[in-house]
Amino acid sequence: MQYSESEHKRLARAYRFKKYGVAYLFLSPNLLFFFIFLVIPFFWVLWLTFNSGGILTPTKFVGLQNWSRVLQDPTAWRSLLNTLYYMAIAIPTVFAIGMGLALLLKRTTKFVTPIRAMIYFPTLAPIVVGALLWIFVVHPDFGLFNTMLRLLGLPIVNWLGNPATALPTIASLEVWRGSGYWTVLFLAALLALPTELFDAAKIDGAGAIRRFWHLTLPLLRPTWLFAIVMATIWNFQLFDSVYILTDGGPNYSTATAVWYIYKNTFQFDKPGYGAAMSFFLLIITLVLAVVELRLMRKKA
Amino acid sequence: MSSTEVEVRATAAEAKRAAERGAKSRKIAGISVSYLILIIGCCIAIFPFLYIVSLSFKESTSLVSYPPKWIPDPFYFGNYTFLLGETSYIRWAFNTFAFAGSVTALKIFFDSIAGYTFAKMDFPGKEILFTFVLATLMIPFAATLIPAFLIVKNLGMVNTYWGLILPPLASPIGIFMMRQFIESLPKDLENAARLDGCSEFYIYLRIILPNCKPALAVLGIFVFMTQWTNFIWPLVVAKADEMRVLTVGLASLKGQWVTNWGVIAAGSVMLMIPIAIVFIFFQRWFIAGSMAGALKE
């Protein structure tokens, strides 16, 4: 059967239309939820920043008032700095421990699976459970830390009650819970590295430390890139453990960005104020991620 | 050959042997130190869990005893009976499984079909859409928390399963995972089916899905664990006692002033036991799942 040229074109168009239609149909469930729960919220949060009024009370347009009040709010700044301080303690520590344990695990040949499983296990605990567990570790009366200190004959510390130690104590929970994840991730990356390069470097007389700095680290760059960006995004959202352990105290020493957003929105009923902070959080996270990506690219 | 020459040679050989022995013993020492550090790491990782198992079998009044009694004496089961009898723990456990299970089932379907589309089909706007999906990985959930809550509230879904389940569906990682995996499947299979006149959905259901069971298992564990540990979203959207999930319920047991620590210990133990059992049998899948994000490069 012969088709005329216009007929042929029409059929081709109909075929393409159907094919593309199927593709979009297959994507539609995901795109629908992305649209409702990511795209709309993204613009809505921006709109909310220009309004006052609560979840219960009617909204009122107030322009940039929320923005300027957030910028002048010492607690907002405090919670941002606390979050950065927490990240500065927790992220390098989990990376160092994770990389250290991964290097050790790579050298060993026996019992790798059970050791890896035990080191990884704390990651499976929800942060809430980790935080409740940490109460038993840092409780001034019956906590593990103080039990140890007493056994050693040292004075006990009120870990979460002291503004100087409260945030590092919360970071210690993340170190305990998170190190296993990075160990497993770094170990997988280490095992995927080509061995020939390392053998060649060994023959050329490069010591273990030089091999690590000049071969292992540069070769692991894609893993680092992922690890640093994701650790920044995840840890910036520190909330669960603060909510359980200290609720921001004592004296706002453990107030974090997401905790303060939660407080303002759902307890003080100031969603516009919370939204302005959410928007700052979004911008800061994106800037940090982009800067990290840039820095890592340049280094290579 | 002079006697001194023989002596020199003998000492040289001895020195070489000694050096070899030294290298070997250094290596053994190195491995031993590695194991020692790793075992200390394991102990630090596991000890807090054992500690709360011990606490959960003690009466709250005897928690403070010093010197500490590591093994409870006598074993006290009151914390567990209180938890199961006087709190909504069983209901919370049911809610958690309903919530995490539904999100997992839906995500497995949505992400595998979207992964298939991105991996194997051509359509206009594919690159832009995929870049968009990739970019959403950078949006912290906390930033969209407030409007997401308001949307759920306007839809009348606060304190419902729908309110819990629907927003977490907007997450991109599974799409990468599935696209990555499906791209690696040979094209011949689907092309043969296409020549036979099979529909795209048939190809997805009968050819692609059966061939990506391992990826589906990894995705399933990853999604389930993410929601099982989720806290802030259920806290915001399902506050009513009978709608709480385990994490929120457990947190609610920590009172403002008086807290029954033995009960909290028991609740934490019961929450971890199913995870521990499943983890022992499916360790490999868990670890693969936790690296889901890293595989996207």
Side-chain angles (χ1 to χ4, degrees):
Chain A
M1 199 158 92
Q2 282 292 79
Y3 291 116
S4 71
E5 198 176 325
S6 64
E7 183 82 340
H8 190 92
K9 268 189 182 152
R10 195 186 60 79
L11 281 172
R13 210 178 308 128
Y15 169 76
R16 269 206 310 273
F17 194 73
K18 188 168 163 247
K19 203 174 122 193
Y20 298 158
V22 169
Y24 282 110
L25 185 70
F26 283 2
L27 291 179
S28 59
N30 258 310
L31 292 182
L32 177 73
F33 289 111
F34 273 65
F35 187 74
I36 298 177
F37 291 111
L38 278 173
V39 179
I40 295 180
F42 184 85
F43 291 104
W44 197 340
V45 86
L46 188 58
W47 165 245
L48 279 171
T49 63
F50 303 124
N51 288 283
S52 76
I55 290 174
L56 309 168
T57 50
T59 54
K60 196 177 119 224
F61 190 82
V62 294
L64 286 171
Q65 207 185 71
N66 286 321
W67 290 69
S68 64
R69 278 190 14 226
V70 169
L71 290 174
Q72 286 161 22
D73 180 353
T75 312
W77 283 104
R78 180 91 197 260
S79 56
L80 176 66
L81 291 177
N82 280 343
T83 313
L84 294 173
Y85 176 45
Y86 160 82
M87 285 161 66
I89 302 173
I91 296 178
T93 315
V94 290
F95 280 2
I97 293 177
M99 183 50 91
L101 291 178
L103 286 168
L104 292 178
L105 268 171
K106 196 190 164 217
R107 292 175 50 159
T108 53
T109 45
K110 289 199 176 82
F111 309 114
V112 173
T113 310
I115 291 175
R116 194 181 58 169
M118 278 192 263
I119 288 174
Y120 182 79
F121 190 67
T123 302
L124 297 174
I127 301 178
V128 171
V129 172
L132 291 171
L133 238 154
W134 226 236
I135 292 175
F136 299 107
V137 175
V138 302
H139 194 282
D141 298 328
F142 54 78
L144 251 162
F145 279 180
N146 280 352
T147 304
M148 300 287 176
L149 287 180
R150 271 199 242 181
L151 288 173
L152 296 170
L154 295 168
I156 60 165
V157 179
N158 188 355
W159 298 98
L160 290 172
N162 184 338
T165 53
L167 200 60
T169 304
I170 287 176
S172 72
L173 162 62
E174 173 57 24
V175 170
W176 172 75
R177 191 180 163 274
S179 294
Y181 175 84
W182 299 109
T183 305
V184 164
L185 190 87
F186 291 148
L187 178 65
L190 283 174
L191 291 175
L193 292 179
T195 48
E196 300 86 12
L197 278 172
F198 288 87
D199 293 339
K202 226 182 213 168
I203 290 166
D204 290 346
I209 294 169
R210 279 189 62 184
R211 287 202 302 273
F212 179 73
W213 278 112
H214 295 286
L215 271 180
T216 312
L217 281 186
L219 285 171
L220 285 183
R221 206 181 51 84
T223 311
W224 281 119
L225 204 66
F226 167 80
I228 290 178
V229 172
M230 291 321 286
T232 304
I233 294 175
W234 290 334
N235 283 295
F236 216 94
Q237 302 191 64
L238 173 69
F239 171 77
D240 303 10
S241 45
V242 169
Y243 179 86
I244 304 266
L245 289 175
T246 57
D247 201 24
N251 191 22
Y252 291 111
S253 61
T254 57
T256 64
V258 174
W259 174 84
Y260 201 47
I261 291 171
Y262 172 84
K263 274 277 158 184
N264 272 294
T265 310
F266 297 101
Q267 292 196 351
F268 308 150
D269 199 28
K270 292 194 285 188
Y273 200 67
M277 276 185 291
S278 301
F279 207 75
F280 281 119
L281 175 88
L282 185 70
I283 292 170
I284 295 168
T285 314
L286 291 181
V287 167
L288 274 178
V290 169
V291 167
E292 284 166 353
L293 284 170
R294 275 282 156 81
L295 283 177
M296 296 294 288
R297 288 249 163 81
K298 219 175 255 170
K299 257 192 196 162
Chain B
M1 209 189 292
S2 72
S3 64
T4 46
E5 209 172 318
V6 172
E7 228 163 69
V8 166
R9 274 200 193 164
T11 42
E14 211 157 78
K16 200 179 162 208
R17 262 199 307 274
E20 266 167 15
R21 238 181 328 193
K24 208 173 172 194
S25 62
R26 258 205 310 281
K27 202 175 173 196
I28 290 173
I31 295 280
S32 314
V33 171
S34 302
Y35 273 112
L36 186 70
I37 297 173
L38 286 170
I39 287 166
I40 293 172
C42 289
C43 292
I44 293 173
I46 297 301
F47 193 71
F49 290 110
L50 300 179
Y51 189 55
I52 56 157
V53 171
S54 152
L55 288 176
S56 74
F57 288 109
K58 285 185 190 167
E59 266 198 275
S60 287
T61 46
S62 68
L63 286 181
V64 207
S65 69
Y66 184 86
K69 260 194 240 155
W70 301 111
I71 307 222
D73 178 38
F75 268 83
Y76 171 75
F77 293 94
N79 297 321
Y80 288 93
T81 52
F82 179 86
L83 201 64
L84 296 174
E86 310 290 315
T87 71
S88 314
Y89 196 88
I90 294 168
R91 172 75 199 225
W92 298 338
F94 172 80
N95 290 343
T96 310
F97 280 104
F99 162 53
S102 307
V103 174
T104 306
L106 289 169
K107 273 318 254 181
I108 283 181
F109 172 54
F110 293 170
D111 289 352
S112 58
I113 202 164
Y116 168 62
T117 312
F118 278 124
K120 299 285 189 182
M121 292 167 80
D122 279 317
F123 54 94
K126 178 170 156 176
E127 291 307 313
I128 295 171
L129 270 180
F130 193 71
T131 313
F132 160 74
V133 171
L134 204 125
T136 60
L137 194 67
M138 300 270 206
I139 299 181
F141 184 72
T144 53
L145 177 70
I146 301 169
F149 172 77
L150 292 175
I151 289 167
V152 165
K153 186 170 166 282
N154 283 327
L155 294 171
M157 292 199 258
V158 171
N159 283 322
T160 67
Y161 288 117
W162 289 116
L164 275 171
I165 293 164
L166 296 182
L169 292 177
S171 110
I173 283 185
I175 301 179
F176 298 123
M177 271 182 70
M178 294 314 297
R179 186 190 84 131
Q180 188 92 346
F181 189 85
I182 293 170
E183 240 170 15
S184 70
L185 296 176
K187 260 202 139 95
D188 306 352
L189 279 173
E190 25 153 338
N191 282 343
R194 229 165 249 145
L195 286 176
D196 289 344
C198 298
S199 74
E200 291 289 339
F201 188 73
Y202 186 91
I203 296 173
Y204 156 76
L205 196 66
R206 288 299 162 89
I207 293 168
I208 301 295
L209 272 194
N211 278 302
C212 49
K213 276 181 196 149
L216 293 176
V218 170
L219 174 65
I221 286 175
F222 175 75
V223 175
F224 192 89
M225 286 309 297
T226 309
Q227 297 315 324
W228 166 270
T229 58
N230 198 344
F231 179 65
I232 192 167
W233 180 248
L235 174 73
V236 164
V237 87
K239 267 200 142 92
D241 185 65
E242 76 278 7
M243 284 312 295
R244 282 180 185 147
V245 297
L246 278 174
T247 49
V248 179
L250 210 53
S252 74
L253 291 178
K254 182 179 177 268
Q256 197 82 47
W257 289 281
V258 188
T259 299
N260 191 337
W261 296 112
V263 170
I264 289 202
S268 305
V269 170
M270 288 212 306
L271 196 148
M272 288 310 293
I273 284 174
I275 301 187
I277 292 171
V278 177
F279 178 64
I280 288 167
F281 288 105
F282 299 101
Q283 202 214 118
R284 213 157 51 86
W285 301 107
F286 274 81
I287 285 171
S290 76
M291 287 184 283
L295 297 177
K296 75 181 202 305
E297 289 272 341

